[in-house]
Amino acid sequence: MELVINSSINNQVIEESEVINKTSSFIEANTQKVTLDHLKNDCIIPVFSKDNESTISHYQFINKAYEVVQELFPDFTPKEPDIRVSHIVKGRIPSAIGKPAKDLLDEEKTLYYERCAFLIELHQAKEVINGNTLSLSIGGVRSYNQENLYSKKSVEKFKIFIGYQNKVCTNLCVSTDGFTNEVRISSVNELHTDMYNLFSNYDRIKHLSMMEKMNQFHLNENQFAHLIGKIRMYQHLEKDDQKSKGKFLLNDGQMNSVVKDYYTCSNFSRDENKNISLWNLYNIFTEANKSSYIDSNLERNVNAYEFINMTANSLQNSQPNWFLQL
């Protein structure tokens, strides 16, 4: 079974074989790719130190998500999870105390990863939006640095999402109602409930329509330059001033990448008239966001979606927008 929605705005489809990717991953930063078996068999599980109660492991988190995907989408065959980890925490077994690190045997080493992000792609559930092939994807993030592991066992924090991956660039396209960073649970079974509720209530049609709409609006070179300047100013405003103007989470270094891609991106740069569609701008935002650490990546991805839609509404309805106002 394959779902395909053709864009009414741009029916030219960019085939995956024609794509020039900068990276094959949905997130870069300082991450490395690992397998689910590695997380299950080679990594220790952190505990809450005051009562020695186990945390929910990265393996349990991802495996439970895979089960929910199979339950909710029985007609599709999900791909193996694409797992990225960072901030390795190394240790050793007691018998290796005092042994030089270079002499440690593999069986004497212990490790786990402080941060983990994963994506499960339903590659058969494809859509075509603005000429790009997108595949339905779900995933999540776990960061042990957001837990107090020096206390007794308490509720644990997770982030989960459902959205699309743009196959042109492997960028994630996640909407506001397809993401939650407020999953706080104390057991794996509770994870099932939260995942099931988010994935089943996700409004796929609304999300696709909003992304398709982005291609209707363009910024000329002067507007783009003005927007970039205001974004740089925004970073230095007082917090109260920032709140009154909306939210923008990408940092200055990432905005350098956005400006570069405006000129040079093989898939989403400006056109021959020096204009850039909001769809292209959205994708160079999410491309730049790949350099975010795991624990801030999803929030910034969703914020890019919200910011582009705010900009589109301002252009469509002539609504005041500090980022565009002269």
Side-chain angles (χ1 to χ4, degrees):
M1 180 176 181
E2 179 171 340
L3 300 179
V4 177
I5 295 179
N6 287 318
S7 166
S8 59
I9 300 167
N10 183 352
N11 287 323
Q12 181 183 3
V13 179
I14 301 176
E15 298 295 339
E16 293 180 35
S17 59
E18 299 173 2
V19 171
I20 302 174
N21 284 338
K22 293 182 178 179
T23 175
S24 61
S25 175
F26 65 98
I27 183 175
E28 296 174 4
N30 62 337
T31 62
Q32 65 183 88
K33 184 180 179 67
V34 298
T35 65
L36 195 57
D37 283 343
H38 170 69
L39 293 178
K40 179 182 180 181
N41 299 316
D42 302 327
C43 297
I44 62 170
I45 302 173
V47 299
F48 291 93
S49 60
K50 286 195 174 179
D51 55 14
N52 206 31
E53 290 290 340
S54 174
T55 61
I56 296 171
S57 70
H58 296 326
Y59 167 78
Q60 290 174 300
F61 179 30
I62 300 169
N63 192 58
K64 178 57 65 176
Y66 201 84
E67 290 177 4
V68 175
V69 169
Q70 290 177 311
E71 180 180 347
L72 278 175
F73 306 100
D75 294 329
F76 301 135
T77 304
K79 287 187 175 181
E80 289 297 311
D82 183 2
I83 306 168
R84 310 291 298 191
V85 294
S86 70
H87 295 76
I88 186 172
V89 181
K90 297 179 181 180
R92 58 176 69 193
I93 62 176
S95 62
I97 291 175
K99 195 172 185 178
K102 63 182 179 63
D103 296 331
L104 286 173
L105 303 176
D106 288 342
E107 58 268 23
E108 295 175 322
K109 301 175 185 177
T110 66
L111 65 89
Y112 72 89
Y113 303 96
E114 185 182 80
R115 305 175 194 182
C116 175
F118 72 94
L119 178 143
I120 299 172
E121 180 188 342
L122 293 165
H123 63 100
Q124 295 148 313
K126 293 181 179 179
E127 321 287 350
V128 178
I129 296 294
N130 299 324
N132 298 162
T133 300
L134 280 62
S135 62
L136 186 64
S137 302
I138 71 97
V141 162
R142 175 71 187 283
S143 299
Y144 282 121
N145 62 307
Q146 296 180 346
E147 311 287 352
N148 183 5
L149 297 181
Y150 296 101
S151 68
K152 294 183 179 180
K153 184 175 178 63
S154 58
V155 292
E156 301 179 50
K157 306 179 186 70
F158 297 84
K159 303 173 187 180
I160 53 177
F161 73 89
I162 180 170
Y164 284 88
Q165 184 180 47
N166 191 333
K167 303 308 291 182
V168 170
C169 49
T170 69
N171 293 352
L172 288 181
C173 303
V174 183
S175 66
T176 312
D177 67 350
F179 167 67
T180 178
N181 62 353
E182 293 298 325
V183 177
R184 298 171 184 268
I185 52 90
S186 55
S187 71
V188 178
N189 288 335
E190 291 176 19
L191 258 180
H192 181 281
T193 301
D194 284 272
M195 289 177 176
Y196 190 95
N197 289 338
L198 179 68
F199 300 160
S200 59
N201 291 322
Y202 164 64
D203 192 338
R204 177 179 61 85
I205 300 301
K206 178 183 176 182
H207 187 195
L208 293 169
S209 298
M210 294 297 289
M211 290 191 290
E212 187 175 59
K213 178 183 175 182
M214 293 175 186
N215 211 43
Q216 300 176 24
F217 303 97
H218 294 74
L219 300 179
N220 61 36
E221 187 177 45
N222 287 337
Q223 289 174 313
F224 175 78
H226 185 80
L227 180 72
I228 296 299
K230 281 294 190 76
I231 287 173
R232 292 191 183 282
M233 292 171 63
Y234 174 85
Q235 312 291 349
H236 302 284
L237 294 176
E238 296 291 336
K239 295 298 183 183
D240 288 341
D241 285 342
Q242 287 184 351
K243 290 179 182 179
S244 68
K245 294 170 174 55
K247 184 188 293 185
F248 190 82
L249 299 181
L250 295 184
N251 59 37
D252 278 348
Q254 291 168 327
M255 292 314 298
N256 288 337
S257 296
V258 168
V259 174
K260 180 181 178 182
D261 281 347
Y262 168 77
Y263 290 106
T264 63
C265 180
S266 58
N267 300 303
F268 301 109
S269 63
R270 64 182 186 173
D271 62 24
E272 63 276 7
N273 296 317
K274 301 181 181 179
N275 299 327
I276 186 168
S277 71
L278 292 191
W279 171 250
N280 284 7
L281 183 59
Y282 172 55
N283 276 280
I284 61 177
F285 277 173
T286 54
E287 178 68 31
N289 181 52
K290 288 181 184 178
S291 65
S292 297
Y293 281 166
I294 284 174
D295 56 349
S296 62
N297 182 276
L298 286 175
E299 286 86 348
R300 289 178 176 178
N301 189 292
V302 173
N303 175 246
Y305 175 81
E306 294 173 335
F307 184 85
I308 291 295
N309 281 315
M310 179 186 73
T311 304
N313 289 334
S314 297
L315 294 173
Q316 182 178 32
N317 303 313
S318 300
Q319 293 179 343
N321 184 328
W322 180 82
F323 290 94
L324 294 177
Q325 285 176 333
L326 295 175

